[in-house]
Amino acid sequence: MSKARKSGLGRGMDALFSSYEETPADHEIVEDILLEDIRPNPYQPRKKFDETLLQELADSIKQSGVFQPVILRQSTIKGYELIAGERRVRASRMAGKTSIPAIVRDLDEQQMIEIAVIENLQREDLSPLEEAEAYSLLMNKLSLTQAEVADRMGKSRPYIANYIRLLSLPDEVKEMVNDNHLSMGQARTLLGLKDKNQLIPLAKKVLDEQLTVRQLEEYVQRLNSQSPAPDDTKKKPAKVKKPAEIIAIEQQMQDYFGTSAIIHQKGDKGKIEIEYLSQSDLIRILDLLDIQL
């Protein structure tokens, strides 16, 4: 594996590449393993595979075979578990092959999880939600905090937090993201809505009217700033316009925390309000603040 490919990863991951490297070490052999004996990696974050690209790979395998061996580990039950190379396994089956060249390595559960995530994160066609699922998998299965995932992946903490936050989207909106109908930027902007009941209708409006991220941001700001229905029994105080520098600070906070952040100012005093959508979202924000429950 080239140094360029490693450069995107943080500390703690380089040691895994001796297990992930698909070139056999001096003491290893490449052997043909029956495809029927190979089970998929249960920690595979990729949910969708481009059928056209798989067919192209299958056609290539029919003509020239598989050049790069897949990585397996011996199953504790029967056969083998796939560590890396699912596209090659799928395409080989499509090509009518019965076996595939493989390297069998002695790997534990943690290595299996991390390598599955690494292999996929190194690919550019992973969807935003699949990337979010990959980070969530590391956190849940390896008991890592967002800060630790960020360190291992060579990413900033807000970067990881913003992806994890996508998992709180309604399923219908998640499908729009997975189908590439909504971009990462549009999905993040939708999460800034205060009234979550408006989220799905607004997502549909984005598709119907082909709204850009900037247009969507302006629309969300308008919805969030709308006053509730007037109450004739109570006179509402006039809304004081916020200074531009406070609005700018709020925007920076929203970008950092990946959620709505509002500054309420009264004279020289005030308070900061940071919204969270669930218990896990609260933990994500506390993690950014270096606060442990």
Side-chain angles (χ1 to χ4, degrees):
M1 179 168 299
S2 67
K3 290 182 180 179
R5 192 173 181 187
K6 289 186 183 181
S7 62
L9 297 173
R11 293 174 293 166
M13 282 297 180
D14 281 350
L16 276 176
F17 276 92
S18 60
S19 299
Y20 174 67
E21 184 68 60
E22 295 178 353
T23 302
D26 292 339
H27 65 284
E28 292 179 323
I29 60 170
V30 176
E31 51 188 312
D32 278 337
I33 301 293
L34 291 175
L35 287 166
E36 65 183 22
D37 290 339
I38 299 173
R39 296 206 306 276
N41 189 328
Y43 306 113
Q44 165 67 262
R46 187 181 298 272
K47 306 303 180 188
K48 293 187 177 182
F49 291 81
D50 189 303
E51 290 299 321
T52 301
L53 294 177
L54 274 180
Q55 188 58 59
E56 290 175 1
L57 182 56
D59 293 340
S60 173
I61 288 172
K62 282 181 183 178
Q63 294 293 322
S64 309
V66 176
F67 290 112
Q68 195 172 36
V70 298
I71 307 298
L72 309 174
R73 78 166 184 170
Q74 193 86 44
S75 173
T76 55
I77 304 171
K78 183 182 178 182
Y80 303 88
E81 290 177 329
L82 183 64
I83 302 296
E86 183 160 350
R87 288 184 70 253
R88 275 162 280 162
V89 168
R90 287 177 178 240
S92 293
R93 287 177 175 141
M94 290 173 67
K97 299 291 185 181
T98 57
S99 64
I100 192 170
I103 303 169
V104 181
R105 291 190 174 136
D106 183 18
L107 301 173
D108 61 28
E109 200 79 1
Q110 177 171 328
Q111 289 173 310
M112 184 176 184
I113 293 169
E114 290 185 318
I115 291 170
V117 170
I118 289 170
E119 184 201 20
N120 283 283
L121 289 177
Q122 293 301 298
R123 299 185 183 278
E124 295 180 355
D125 60 339
L126 203 65
S127 78
L129 272 171
E130 286 173 334
E131 186 169 346
E133 291 284 1
Y135 297 138
S136 179
L137 181 67
L138 290 176
M139 292 171 63
N140 295 331
K141 295 295 184 180
L142 304 184
S143 300
L144 299 176
T145 65
Q146 286 187 16
E148 289 168 334
V149 171
D151 188 53
R152 291 190 182 209
M153 293 289 113
K155 306 289 186 182
S156 70
R157 292 167 70 184
Y159 179 96
I160 301 296
N162 282 327
Y163 272 88
I164 293 293
R165 207 165 156 256
L166 294 178
L167 300 178
S168 65
L169 287 167
D171 289 342
E172 190 173 347
V173 180
K174 285 182 182 177
E175 279 301 310
M176 297 178 191
V177 177
N178 266 336
D179 293 338
N180 295 318
H181 295 149
L182 284 178
S183 69
M184 169 72 171
Q186 289 169 324
R188 280 187 57 193
T189 304
L190 286 169
L191 283 167
L193 267 174
K194 291 180 182 178
D195 183 358
K196 302 308 175 188
N197 293 324
Q198 295 178 316
L199 210 154
I200 293 177
L202 183 52
K204 291 178 178 178
K205 181 181 179 67
V206 171
L207 300 189
D208 291 340
E209 300 182 15
Q210 296 294 297
L211 298 180
T212 65
V213 173
R214 183 58 187 159
Q215 289 170 328
L216 179 58
E217 287 173 348
E218 292 172 353
Y219 200 89
V220 168
Q221 286 175 4
R222 286 201 301 273
L223 289 175
N224 286 345
S225 64
Q226 285 176 357
S227 300
D231 185 347
D232 293 334
T233 63
K234 294 182 182 179
K235 183 151 178 100
K236 303 287 184 182
K239 192 171 182 181
V240 179
K241 188 175 181 180
K242 288 184 181 178
E245 60 269 21
I246 296 298
I247 295 175
I249 293 171
E250 285 180 336
Q251 187 60 55
Q252 289 181 56
M253 291 171 59
Q254 288 171 15
D255 289 342
Y256 182 78
F257 290 109
T259 191
S260 174
I262 302 171
I263 297 174
H264 300 280
Q265 196 174 34
K266 190 174 182 180
D268 292 334
K269 297 190 298 183
K271 64 180 180 179
I272 296 173
E273 181 182 295
I274 301 173
E275 181 187 46
Y276 62 90
L277 306 177
S278 62
Q279 187 67 19
S280 62
D281 201 32
L282 172 60
I283 294 171
R284 174 186 69 80
I285 293 168
L286 293 177
D287 189 37
L288 287 170
L289 294 168
D290 277 329
I291 298 173
Q292 299 296 322
L293 286 177

